Each structure stands twice: as structure tokens, then as C-alpha cells.
Amino acid sequence: MEVTPQPRPAPAEPPRPSLVPRLPEPALSEELRRLRTLLPAHLASSVTSGTELVRALEKGRRDGFIPTTLEGVDTLLAGGLPRGSLVELVSRRASGRFSIVLSALSAASSLGEAVALIDLGDHFDPQLAEANGVDLRRLLWVRPRNAKQAVMSAEMLAATGFQLVVVEMGLHPVRGRRAPDAAWVRLARTAESHGTSMLVSSPYPLTGTASEAVVKGCGTRAQWLGGGRSPRLLAGLTMELALEKHRHQKAGRHASVIVTASDAQSLFRKQNPRAAG
């Protein structure tokens, strides 16, 4: 009698350890469980406890984007400033760059988020910011002395729960020595671990490989009211932007942002006090 050997079953693979431990779901209270059994299925699924609601709200805060409310910027970044990521805005034109910063601070503070501005260039004007919709009660204004202090301040604030941290590096040349690449990488990791939207605004590239996206200002065009030899009024500035780099989007796309005349003139006076006199 011929016996056909049976194939041996493959040994089971040992379970792979998870790098991120899975947190246990909170147990339902007896009152909530009883209430769900008394309600129809379509209503029971919508009933939640305070613990579940807090967890859902916290998850929602950590997901998605913080929009800048500037269509050109939000289009390039596919929705706005991504939570848990570092975005760098590069432009020699500080007026247009700082207008984007103010818009981001205004949008985040209006959502109820705690925001921080690391103002190395010392260009922040509270009255101008409030006129542009920034909720000053939710804003922490930090004025470091050099680039190293600016990066250290941003890392500390991201770790303490600020949902938007903006590092404004000021005019060219940036005060102090360049921060090492390792400092920017550490800052990006801190933003990722705490779900913080990190925006670095600089006259030239600084963050290197640490940034998830780099938006570059390609130039500005003045918009005038009137023509010919008659006196003309400045209506605003149009800032051209290009997506230099993005880890999840196609680079090379372009967009534009309009800065109103009042904002442009106020920023110019703040950055050039001698000319304003």
C-alpha cells in the first residue's frame, strides 16, 4: 500500500511587536449600555459618553489642516498647514510673507486654537494683527535674540500644546548663526509627536530635509488704481508663490496671494521706521 505523505503545515510566524502600543478603549458605563439597548439602532449609534466625545474631539484636533484662509496658499498645500508637520515659507519680500503669517494666526485663533509667534525680526504689530482678525487673547508673542533661541522656543512651545507655532526669522540676514540641521529635524519630530502645525517664515531656505513642504515667493507685482500721468493709488500687492517641495503633493505648482494696500503700507512702516518718518 502506497502512502502519500501529507505536507507539513508552515510554522506560524511569531507576532511582530508593535512600535506604538495600542491603547485600550474605555469601558462603557452600565447606564450608557442600558440606554443604547432601549433606543432604535439608528439612534443608539449616535449616543456617546463624555469620555468618547473627548477622545473624538482630541482626534479631530490632531487630524487635518489649519487653513490660512488664503486660497493660493491653501491650494498649494492641499488644504492648509498640515497638523504634525513643518512647512517653510521662503521669500525675500517680508511684507507678503508676513501677511501670510498674520492670516494663518488669524485663522487658527478664530478656531479657538492656542497660537504662538516666535518673532526674531521683531516685526509684529499687535494693532495690525488684531485688525486682521488675530485673537490676541490666544496668542503668545516671543521675541528671541538669535536663530538658536528661536528654534529652541518653537520646540518648547510645540511640546506644551500650542496647535500653531510660527517662527518668523525676519529680514536678510537672519540674526545669529544658522541653526544646525539636527535642530530643525528635532523641531519637526516634536511637531509630529504633538500634532502641531509648524510654519517657518524665512528670507532664505533654512529647514533642509526637516520640512514637509516648502512654499517660495517668486516675486510681487504692485496693483495700482488709475493710469496715465495722473497720480495713482496703491491698491495692493500680488505675491506669486511656487510649491518648491512637498512629500505628498506634486511640486512645481504656482499660485498667487493678494496683499491689500493698508496691510502692505503698515508692514512697510514697521520694517522701515526711518522711511516712515
Side-chain angles (χ1 to χ4, degrees):
M1 181 177 62
E2 184 178 356
V3 178
T4 303
Q6 299 295 325
R8 295 182 178 181
E13 294 185 1
R16 298 180 180 179
S18 174
L19 297 178
V20 181
R22 191 178 185 86
L23 297 177
E25 294 293 331
L28 293 178
S29 65
E30 185 61 30
E31 292 80 4
L32 180 60
R33 195 190 308 276
R34 188 181 306 112
L35 177 61
R36 285 181 173 174
T37 58
L38 298 176
L39 294 174
H42 67 283
L43 293 179
S45 60
S46 62
V47 176
T48 182
S49 66
T51 302
E52 291 175 329
L53 181 59
V54 169
R55 289 173 66 94
L57 290 175
E58 184 64 19
K59 183 178 184 298
R61 287 169 62 90
R62 301 300 182 186
D63 294 342
F65 302 85
I66 294 181
T68 66
T69 67
L70 295 173
E71 184 178 357
V73 179
D74 292 342
T75 299
L76 290 180
L77 296 176
L81 300 173
R83 296 183 186 269
S85 299
L86 188 155
V87 174
E88 186 173 19
L89 174 63
V90 180
S91 176
R92 290 292 184 97
R93 296 285 185 177
S95 57
R97 205 178 72 221
F98 203 70
S99 181
I100 296 175
V101 166
L102 286 181
S103 183
L105 292 173
S106 174
S109 62
S110 66
L111 291 174
E113 303 284 16
V115 300
L117 172 63
I118 318 286
D119 188 16
L120 181 59
D122 197 21
H123 296 152
F124 183 69
D125 185 338
Q127 292 182 343
L128 176 63
E130 190 171 30
N132 280 269
V134 178
D135 188 349
L136 299 180
R137 299 170 300 176
R138 300 183 180 276
L139 172 70
L140 177 65
W141 181 19
V142 182
R143 303 165 74 181
R145 296 181 179 178
N146 51 50
K148 181 180 179 181
Q149 289 185 359
V151 177
M152 291 176 60
S153 300
E155 184 177 357
M156 179 183 66
L157 293 174
T160 54
F162 282 83
Q163 289 301 293
L164 173 63
V165 177
V166 178
V167 185
E168 171 54 53
M169 303 300 287
L171 302 176
H172 181 280
V174 174
R175 282 189 289 171
R177 297 181 179 179
R178 279 199 176 201
D181 292 342
W184 294 112
V185 172
R186 187 169 60 248
L187 180 60
R189 289 177 178 174
T190 303
E192 181 180 8
S193 61
H194 292 86
T196 303
S197 294
M198 186 75 62
L199 176 61
V200 177
S201 172
S202 173
Y204 44 78
L206 292 174
T207 62
T209 59
S211 58
E212 173 157 326
V214 176
V215 177
K216 183 178 180 180
C218 303
T220 57
R221 301 191 312 271
Q223 304 292 332
W224 299 95
L225 295 177
R229 296 182 179 179
S230 60
R232 295 189 295 171
L233 297 177
L234 178 64
L237 300 174
T238 300
M239 185 177 184
E240 300 295 333
L241 302 174
L243 187 63
E244 290 280 299
K245 163 194 168 184
H246 202 297
R247 292 179 183 171
H248 307 292
Q249 303 291 330
K250 183 178 179 181
R253 294 182 291 123
H254 291 75
S256 60
V257 171
I258 298 177
V259 182
T260 62
S262 58
D263 294 346
Q265 292 167 0
S266 299
L267 290 168
F268 178 80
R269 288 194 296 268
K270 180 69 175 176
Q271 296 160 7
N272 303 273
R274 294 181 180 179

